[in-house]
Amino acid sequence: ERLARLRTSTQAITPDVDAAWRAALAAPVSTEACWLHGDLHARNILVHDGALAAIIDWGDVTSGDIATDLAAFWMLFEDPYIRAEALVRAGAAPADIARARGWAVLFGAVLLDTGLADNPRHAAIGAAALARVGT
């Protein structure tokens, strides 16, 4: 429903975004539980002198599919080569990456949709994440 609404109200839901969503839904489910931040996005990252300095707000720490935290790479890294390197360093398998792109679509859509109503910063983060999903 949210994707359909954004498809008619914005240009953010591109064929690449739709393809990433479909690929995520088709990707094998992970049954390996790992610790997750659970709310990893740009507003929970501290940067100093252009480098990651800290991750804050651990209130949603949980166990689950690593793809949910990997989705933050589409919100945090504009450069697709840096994003790819981060995924390699995280040890992400192709199925993890497909699911992570799907989570990036979900998080981007939520941030854009709700942000358009009352939070321009969230809308900008969501729009950027959706734009990066295709790269």
Side-chain angles (χ1 to χ4, degrees), residues 31-111:
T31 58
E32 182 181 343
C34 67
W35 286 110
L36 304 174
H37 180 276
D39 192 24
L40 195 57
H41 57 75
R43 299 204 55 190
N44 285 336
I45 302 290
L46 300 180
V47 176
H48 180 66
D49 290 334
L52 175 68
I55 298 173
I56 61 171
D57 187 8
W58 290 85
D60 290 327
V61 70
T62 189
S63 174
D65 182 0
I66 188 63
T68 56
D69 275 0
L70 294 176
F73 293 175
W74 282 268
M75 290 183 274
L76 298 171
F77 304 125
E78 182 175 355
D79 186 318
Y81 299 105
I82 292 172
R83 201 167 39 248
E85 178 65 22
L87 290 164
V88 167
R89 289 182 185 214
D96 298 331
I97 295 169
R99 290 191 317 278
R101 286 180 73 212
W103 280 107
V105 169
L106 173 71
F107 296 145
V110 167
L111 287 165

